[in-house]
Amino acid sequence: MIETTPVGAADDARWLARAIQLAVENVADGGGPFGAVIVRDGELVAEGQNRVTANLDPTAHAEVQAIRNACQAIGDFSLAGCVLYTSCEPCPLCLSASLWSRIDRVVYAGDRHDAAKVGFDDSAFYELLEKPRSEWYMAVDEVRPVNATAPFDAWDANQSRTHY
């Protein structure tokens, strides 16, 4: 039997190695142990490192940073046709950002359990999202004034809007 390398496996290994390298370098620079790269057609589009504590920004995860940088690099909010390589399984925030940016594929190295072992435990978020909002520890309340739909009405009436 002849063993074959899966299509794209060499590229996956190459870009995951870069994401891991970014993560390790970021630790040395005082950041979190996360790195990410975005690739399109085998070419690097952008990179990101976790800058949560450095930037005092809880949304500055490596994947989000890479997505922001990639969108700026290509001049579009859609990253359709791109692959996100990340040193760790994306948390719910990063997975949502990946979905919103229309990334085609996410490839990760370490998983959420590896991260949890060193203090980056997202299990509470995964568990929270499975519960009804009435059971959440953070209140999420709808307060519906008379003009609650005014922003959507304005959007719907705007003929020159950019469709998502």
Side-chain angles (χ1 to χ4, degrees), residues 48-145:
Q49 294 171 302
N50 180 286
R51 305 307 295 165
V52 170
T53 57
N55 295 358
L56 304 178
D57 178 355
T59 68
H61 292 203
E63 298 90 338
V64 173
Q65 297 291 89
I67 288 168
R68 290 172 178 161
N69 294 338
C71 289
Q72 292 301 305
I74 66 170
D76 197 344
F77 62 85
S78 173
L79 297 177
C82 292
V83 178
L84 168 64
Y85 291 93
T86 180
S87 62
C88 186
E89 179 180 3
C91 71
L93 167 73
C94 296
L95 186 56
S96 295
S98 299
L99 291 166
W100 273 109
S101 67
R102 295 167 178 80
I103 285 176
D104 286 4
R105 181 175 176 235
V106 175
V107 182
Y108 62 89
D111 66 21
R112 65 179 91 168
H113 307 291
D114 299 319
K117 288 177 188 173
V118 296
F120 295 93
D121 190 353
D122 296 331
S123 61
F125 299 132
Y126 287 101
E127 292 166 7
L128 180 69
L129 294 172
E130 293 176 2
K131 294 179 181 182
R133 281 193 186 166
S134 62
E135 296 178 24
W136 287 18
Y137 60 85
M138 176 185 72
V140 178
D141 299 320
E142 179 181 31
V143 176
R144 197 165 179 86

